[in-house]
């Protein structure tokens, strides 16, 4: 192993705590650069990772683990999504075990907690519903119809604040991760309403910091003496996890903004975020030569494998909002919904190669699983988000207007709803605007396709993993399954089955 | 309680509990409780930073106290505190963000009513910090942030930026106090300076020069972001076609 003649980050002969830490990390990372990069140096050790995830699944969490950040639904989601990306299906027994464990975390008053009998919290609620999207099914014991959507919706509304934000839990703080979790859950379960979304775009926009990335939250300040043009301030600096949450939330409120515009309310729909400064911040999170092209989560912090997804995964989201190298030509779609063939110029805005090299060389733990950085241990969280980031770097997943039209053409306004808990929830108000929103949310979520053409996979083709949805971090198969169920709709078949 | 917070630094729930506690105490007795307790809390946070000066939740908690109670006696301790933090590590981006929060993002502080004066003060402070370590992105981002927020054109600091884009040290012996030169040990040209100058040239409509600078970044100084610099070239040239 050597460093391949790579340059250290400049410290301008002015060392501080930050630059010293950066330097020692670069020294460790340098020892992970292969000397004469043969194909084996680029191997994604799929089997070792599958074995690692299987071990985590058998062990579960130590019982004393009760933090909301690392709760049972999360652990199950990380395991299931890691398997999905690695193209591993679960046997019916383990699937059922996952469903039952998740359902045991449902709170009697709606939402899911970190474990049985814990209070409901937006973060595990997201993880629980996404885990059920992967492992669950309709019918008794299948998990989907056991989700109490009426209570969940009422609980969501009870968390809502006047500025458009949401508490992550009763008596808890406001945090944009919670907002993302809520929007994903409401979109999947068909309980997204104007009441829920009122003020959300404004709140998200207020969380964008001067650096371009997003903060954990924003706070109205109560300075009575002046008339501020910026009535809110960002709590905390621009950060990868919060930036992903805000940007994905921004993408998830687009159906609402579209519906507002279509119903003539353009003033309300005019809230904007600064895409230019966001892009600049995102590209600056990619580390230099001796960071091996990994991503960091904040300016002047160290690279970490999980930001492969939280920041690397932001690029397709930004592209869906119109920021791309070339205006993409969406070839008229064949009616079967097959994606068109585009020219294969790599028009990414970051180095896909760099990111894949970081993950393959530094992200993989020799005894299985993926990690923050060497010499750290691997864990379920980093395994899931390193693999998600790898998937994002390998595949180009884009919005296809052709597929959107094909989905809308199949839309049935009656919803074809027959099952007891399918389709509309009785507590969700009905109305033309809500129907417009529902149709737009359904088609927008399912309109992402993997662009055909050349591979962006670094290393041998056996490194290829499944594509994952840029907004939901689920495969399209899982996403379509649960959304068709809760919306009572059908979608046109896909010709490519990988996503 | 202080002990618990310093042991479990990463645990934001501890900060949340302190937040609930402060809210409770002040809702019971809003008028008479002197700001002493809040000042003590700010002092305590400062101590916690000795162990982890970039802890996200600790910074957010501090910002919440300032914003929520919004007392002049609290705001006035912030600038000296920030200077201490940035003095300890000029690359601490959390401290730079905090400076933006205090000076530009939370209303107007007592004594800061003359906004042009504040802007001059901040630009001058930032230039000084850039000169210490010109490749440090934090003060460059701060500089962009305050110019953007006050709608001040980037070219207003052109004279300062140019020496940081050259590879050789300036032979100019005239000392310009407004525009401190790069420190002796600086590694030049500095990427954030070249980018800054490219943006200035773009805004001036000097497209070939902007293109040349972006090319220098993509081909030579900052190759990992080559795709982004190529994108900026296309964008800049597209802008010139439109105008
Ligand atoms: Zn991490």
């Amino acid at each position: 192993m050597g460093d391949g003649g790579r340059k250290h980050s400049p410290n301008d002969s002015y060392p501080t705590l930050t630059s010293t830490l950066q330097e020692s990390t670069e020294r460790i990372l340098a020892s992970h650069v292969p000397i004469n990069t043969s194909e084996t140096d680029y191997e994604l050790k799929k089997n070792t990772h599958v074995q690692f995830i299987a071990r985590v699944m058998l062990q579960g969490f130590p019982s004393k683990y009760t933090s909301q950040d690392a709760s049972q639904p999360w652990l199950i989601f990380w395991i299931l999504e890691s398997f999905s990306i690695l193209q591993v299906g679960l046997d019916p027994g383990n699937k059922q075990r996952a469903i039952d464990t998740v359902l045991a975390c449902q709170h009697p008053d709606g939402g899911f907690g970190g474990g049985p009998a814990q209070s409901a919290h937006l973060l595990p609620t997201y993880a629980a519903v996404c885990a059920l999207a992967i492992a669950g099914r309709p019918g008794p014991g299948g998990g989907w119809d056991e989700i109490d959507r009426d209570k969940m919706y009422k609980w969501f509304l009870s968390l809502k604040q006047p500025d458009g934000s949401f508490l992550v839990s009763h008596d808890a703080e406001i945090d944009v991760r919670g907002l993302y979790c809520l929007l994903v859950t409401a979109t999947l379960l068909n309980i997204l309403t104007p009441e829920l979304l009122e003020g959300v775009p404004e709140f998200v926009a207020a969380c964008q910091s001067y650096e371009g990335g997003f903060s954990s939250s924003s706070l109205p300040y109560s300075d009575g003496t002046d008339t501020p043009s910026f009535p809110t301030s960002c709590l905390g600096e621009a950060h990868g996890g919060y930036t992903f949450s805000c940007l994905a939330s921004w993408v998830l409120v687009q159906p609402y903004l579209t519906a507002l515009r279509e119903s003539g309310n353009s003033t309300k729909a005019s809230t904007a975020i600064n895409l230019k400064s966001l892009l600049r911040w995102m590209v600056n999170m990619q580390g230099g030569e001796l960071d091996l092209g990994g991503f960091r989560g904040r300016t002047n912090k160290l690279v970490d494998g999980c930001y492969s997804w939280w920041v690397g995964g932001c690029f397709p989201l930004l592209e869906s909002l119109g920021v791309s190298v070339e205006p993409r030509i969406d070839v008229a779609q064949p009616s079967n919904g097959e994606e068109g063939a585009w020219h294969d110029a790599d028009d990414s805005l970051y180095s896909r190669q760099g990111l894949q090299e970081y993950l393959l060389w530094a992200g993989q733990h020799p005894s299985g699983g993926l990690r923050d950085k060497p010499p750290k241990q691997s864990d379920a969280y980093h395994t899931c988000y390193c693999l998600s980031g790898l998937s994002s770097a390998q595949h180009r997943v884009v919005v296809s207007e052709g597929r959107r039209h094909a989905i809308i053409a199949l839309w049935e306004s009656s919803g074809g709803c027959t099952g007891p808990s399918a389709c509309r929830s009785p507590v969700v108000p009905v109305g033309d605007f809500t129907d417009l929103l529902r149709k737009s949310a359904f088609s927008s979520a399912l309109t992402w396709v993997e662009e055909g053409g050349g591979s962006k996979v670094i290393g041998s083709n056996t490194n290829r993993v499944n594509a994952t949805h840029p907004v939901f971090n689920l495969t399209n198969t899982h996403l379509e399954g649960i959304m068709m169920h809760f919306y009572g709709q059908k979608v046109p078949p896909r010709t490519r089955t990988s996503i | 309680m202080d002990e618990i917070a310093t042991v479990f630094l990463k645990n934001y729930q501890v900060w949340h509990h302190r937040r609930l506690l402060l809210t409770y105490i002040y809702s019971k007795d809003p008028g008479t409780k002197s700001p002493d307790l809040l000042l003590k809390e700010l002092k305590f946070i400062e101590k916690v930073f000795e162990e982890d000066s970039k802890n996200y939740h600790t910074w957010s908690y501090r910002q919440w106290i300032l914003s929520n109670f919004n007392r002049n006696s609290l705001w006035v301790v912030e600038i000296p505190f920030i200077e201490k933090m940035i003095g300890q590590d000029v690359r601490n981006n959390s401290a730079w963000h905090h400076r933006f929060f205090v000076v530009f993002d939370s209303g107007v502080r007592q004594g800061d009513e003359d906004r042009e004066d504040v802007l001059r003060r901040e630009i001058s402070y930032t230039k000084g910090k850039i000169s210490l370590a010109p490749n440090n992105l934090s003060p460059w981002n701060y500089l962009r942030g305050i110019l953007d927020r006050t709608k001040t054109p980037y070219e207003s600091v052109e004279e300062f930026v140019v020496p940081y884009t050259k590879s050789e040290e300036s032979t100019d012996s005239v000392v310009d106090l407004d525009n401190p030169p790069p420190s002796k040990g600086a590694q030049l040209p500095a990427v954030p300076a070249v980018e800054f100058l490219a943006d200035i040239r773009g805004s001036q409509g000097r497209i070939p020069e902007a293109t040349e600078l972006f090319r220098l970044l993509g081909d030579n100084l900052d190759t990992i972001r080559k795709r982004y610099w190529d994108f900026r070239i296309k964008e800049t040239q597209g802008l010139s076609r439109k105008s």
Side-chain angles (χ1 to χ4, degrees):
Chain A
M1 300 276 164
D3 62 13
R6 291 166 178 246
K7 276 190 302 194
H8 276 281
S9 304
N11 80 346
D12 295 315
S13 325
Y14 191 84
T16 61
L17 188 58
T18 298
S19 64
T20 314
L21 208 57
Q22 174 68 24
E23 244 171 75
S24 55
T25 303
E26 289 183 0
R27 260 195 298 278
I28 294 169
L29 291 174
S31 70
H32 288 262
V33 178
I35 290 172
N36 39 21
T37 49
S38 64
E39 197 159 82
T40 52
D41 292 320
Y42 285 96
E43 190 195 347
L44 176 67
K45 298 183 184 67
K46 282 186 178 175
N47 287 336
T48 354
H49 301 321
V50 170
Q51 283 162 20
F52 171 80
I53 303 159
R55 277 202 305 277
V56 175
M57 190 169 66
L58 284 176
Q59 287 159 0
F61 267 139
S63 55
K64 60 175 179 179
Y65 233 126
T66 52
S67 153
Q68 293 288 3
D69 277 19
S71 55
Q72 286 192 32
W74 274 115
L75 184 67
I76 291 170
F77 171 69
W78 296 328
I79 291 168
L80 294 177
E81 182 55 14
S82 297
F83 276 145
S84 296
I85 292 174
L86 288 171
Q87 298 156 314
V88 174
L90 222 53
D91 62 283
N94 273 311
K95 265 191 189 170
Q96 193 59 49
R97 203 160 68 96
I99 296 168
D100 296 343
T101 313
V102 166
L103 282 179
C105 300
Q106 186 165 216
H107 193 275
D109 298 328
F112 289 77
Q118 287 192 29
S119 53
H121 189 289
L122 288 174
L123 269 58
T125 296
Y126 156 89
V129 172
C130 287
L132 291 174
I134 301 171
R137 58 180 193 277
W144 290 0
D145 295 328
E146 280 89 351
I147 301 173
D148 193 331
R149 293 188 303 154
D150 299 352
K151 282 186 176 159
M152 191 182 294
Y153 180 72
K154 285 183 190 153
W155 173 61
F156 281 173
L157 282 181
S158 73
L159 299 171
K160 188 157 174 107
Q161 300 300 299
D163 65 350
S165 64
F166 292 87
L167 302 173
V168 292
S169 170
H170 286 144
D171 288 328
E173 69 286 348
I174 293 160
D175 177 328
V176 296
R177 291 176 307 170
L179 176 64
Y180 166 73
C181 290
L182 179 144
L183 292 174
V184 165
T185 309
T187 303
L188 292 178
L189 300 181
N190 189 11
I191 50 174
L192 196 67
T193 65
E195 286 75 12
L196 219 48
L197 291 171
E198 170 83 42
V200 170
E202 291 83 354
F203 174 70
V204 172
C207 294
Q208 188 168 23
S209 95
Y210 69 93
E211 288 193 278
F214 287 78
S215 310
S216 66
S217 183
S218 65
L219 201 69
Y221 62 83
S222 53
D223 196 338
T225 53
D226 72 323
T227 43
S229 51
F230 288 87
T232 53
S233 43
C234 291
L235 280 194
E237 76 205 272
H239 180 287
Y242 300 121
T243 299
F244 178 88
S245 299
C246 284
L247 183 55
S249 295
W250 186 253
V251 172
L252 284 165
V253 299
Q254 292 310 302
Y256 174 61
L257 294 177
T258 309
L260 278 177
R261 250 176 255 120
E262 282 175 13
S263 54
N265 198 339
S266 51
T267 339
K268 235 177 160 181
S270 66
T271 312
I273 59 172
N274 187 336
L275 299 175
K276 219 180 131 133
S277 67
L278 173 58
L279 172 63
R280 177 180 179 274
W281 180 85
M282 280 160 51
V283 298
N284 273 323
M285 290 302 107
Q286 188 158 29
E289 293 180 21
L290 273 176
D291 287 316
L292 315 188
F295 277 89
R296 65 183 99 254
R298 302 187 237 165
T299 304
N300 277 331
K301 291 274 284 179
L302 301 172
V303 290
D304 172 347
C306 66
Y307 295 113
S308 309
W309 173 256
W310 300 126
V311 183
C314 278
F315 285 91
L317 299 174
L318 195 64
E319 192 175 333
S320 79
L321 297 168
V323 179
S324 62
V325 175
E326 301 274 5
R328 211 167 50 85
I329 305 142
D330 193 357
V331 191
Q333 291 274 115
S335 56
N336 63 3
E338 188 194 347
E339 50 266 40
W342 289 283
H343 65 101
D344 179 43
D346 184 355
D347 41 8
S348 335
L349 284 163
Y350 72 105
S351 170
R352 288 174 187 268
Q353 168 148 5
L355 178 56
Q356 291 181 56
E357 284 176 353
Y358 178 84
L359 291 168
L360 295 171
W361 296 343
Q364 301 190 88
H365 193 280
S367 50
L370 291 98
R371 60 185 169 190
D372 166 350
K373 65 174 80 58
K376 295 197 177 179
Q377 292 298 313
S378 50
D379 58 66
Y381 165 83
H382 283 95
T383 300
C384 177
Y385 292 109
C386 286
L387 288 173
S388 308
L390 181 66
S391 166
S392 177
Q394 284 184 354
H395 301 271
R396 197 168 140 73
V397 183
V398 296
V399 164
S400 159
E401 288 310 315
R403 184 152 181 91
R404 189 197 303 273
H405 292 138
I407 291 169
I408 289 175
L410 280 186
W411 179 267
E412 284 183 58
S413 44
S414 67
C417 307
T418 48
S421 102
C423 310
R424 278 177 199 164
S425 159
V427 296
V428 172
V430 282
D432 290 348
F433 187 81
T434 311
D435 285 343
L436 198 63
L437 175 63
R438 174 176 296 140
K439 185 164 143 185
S440 180
F442 181 78
S443 56
S444 300
L446 300 179
T447 190
W448 295 76
V449 298
E450 189 187 351
E451 197 178 88
S455 167
K456 297 172 191 355
V457 177
I458 301 296
S460 99
N461 213 39
T462 56
N463 279 2
R464 194 183 184 84
V465 297
N466 261 340
T468 186
H469 194 292
V471 181
F472 298 89
N473 198 12
L474 293 169
T475 62
N476 263 340
T477 314
H478 293 139
L479 182 65
E480 283 175 357
I482 192 166
M483 286 190 76
M484 287 194 291
H485 176 70
F486 283 110
Y487 286 72
Q489 300 288 336
K490 292 206 162 37
V491 295
R494 288 171 188 270
T495 45
R496 301 172 61 92
T497 51
S498 60
I499 167 163
Chain B
M1 187 170 165
D2 288 7
E3 242 169 274
I4 299 172
T6 41
V7 174
F8 298 100
L9 281 177
K10 296 272 177 195
N11 194 342
Y12 65 88
Q13 280 162 345
V14 174
W15 292 126
H16 186 66
H17 285 134
R18 295 183 81 97
R19 189 166 152 167
L20 292 178
L21 204 60
L22 282 183
T23 310
Y24 176 77
I25 294 169
Y26 280 84
S27 70
K28 286 280 160 199
D29 195 2
T32 55
K33 276 277 182 307
S34 70
D36 274 9
L37 182 60
L38 296 170
L39 275 172
K40 266 192 199 143
E41 192 66 0
L42 293 184
K43 270 278 160 224
F44 169 67
I45 293 171
E46 203 173 323
K47 258 205 101 52
V48 173
F49 281 137
E50 286 169 15
E51 287 173 56
D52 180 359
S53 61
K54 296 184 179 180
N55 185 284
Y56 201 92
H57 300 291
T58 314
W59 281 102
S60 310
Y61 176 55
R62 190 176 186 96
Q63 286 153 14
W64 175 81
I65 292 178
L66 291 164
S67 216
N68 187 64
F69 296 99
N70 196 25
R71 297 186 183 198
N72 196 49
S73 55
L74 300 179
W75 288 110
V76 291
V77 303
E78 285 314 275
I79 292 291
F81 159 72
I82 293 164
E83 309 220 322
K84 185 185 126 193
M85 295 301 286
I86 292 182
Q88 281 167 4
D89 185 350
V90 74
R91 297 180 178 90
N92 185 343
N93 198 61
S94 308
W96 283 98
H97 172 268
H98 191 63
R99 191 171 182 101
F100 194 90
F101 175 88
V102 170
V103 181
F104 290 97
D105 219 7
S106 313
V108 177
R109 310 276 69 80
Q110 222 171 67
D112 273 2
E113 291 83 358
D114 184 345
R115 299 312 283 169
E116 276 176 35
D117 203 47
V118 169
L119 179 63
R120 265 194 301 277
R121 179 191 81 199
E122 290 305 304
I123 290 176
S124 160
Y125 176 79
T126 310
K127 284 174 175 175
K129 295 302 173 193
I130 289 175
S131 76
L132 298 175
N135 284 283
N136 171 17
L137 199 53
S138 293
W140 286 103
N141 285 356
Y142 185 77
L143 183 61
R144 285 171 174 269
I146 64 180
L147 295 177
D148 290 346
R149 177 59 64 93
T150 55
K151 301 193 168 58
T152 310
Y154 286 9
E155 63 179 344
S156 62
V157 293
E158 179 178 336
E159 217 176 310
F160 166 74
V161 173
V162 169
Y164 292 80
T165 65
K166 305 260 160 72
S167 38
E168 73 280 5
E169 224 175 279
S170 164
T171 49
D172 211 343
S173 57
V174 183
V175 181
D176 178 355
L177 287 177
D178 281 341
N179 296 305
S183 64
K184 286 274 172 270
Q187 287 154 277
L188 301 177
V191 168
V194 175
E195 179 197 18
F196 206 100
L197 187 60
D199 281 333
I200 292 176
R201 294 293 174 249
S203 72
Q204 292 167 330
R206 293 158 72 170
I207 308 305
E209 287 163 82
T211 304
E212 204 44 54
L213 291 163
F214 283 133
R215 199 160 283 148
L216 175 68
L217 290 167
D219 293 345
N220 200 330
L221 301 177
D222 192 37
T223 50
I224 191 89
R225 269 166 283 279
K226 176 160 177 53
R227 294 177 182 289
Y228 175 68
W229 301 125
D230 285 348
F231 170 77
R232 294 300 314 276
I233 290 174
K234 277 190 187 159
E235 190 190 47
T236 308
Q237 292 177 341
L239 278 179
S240 77
R241 267 200 302 278
K242 264 181 223 154
S243 58

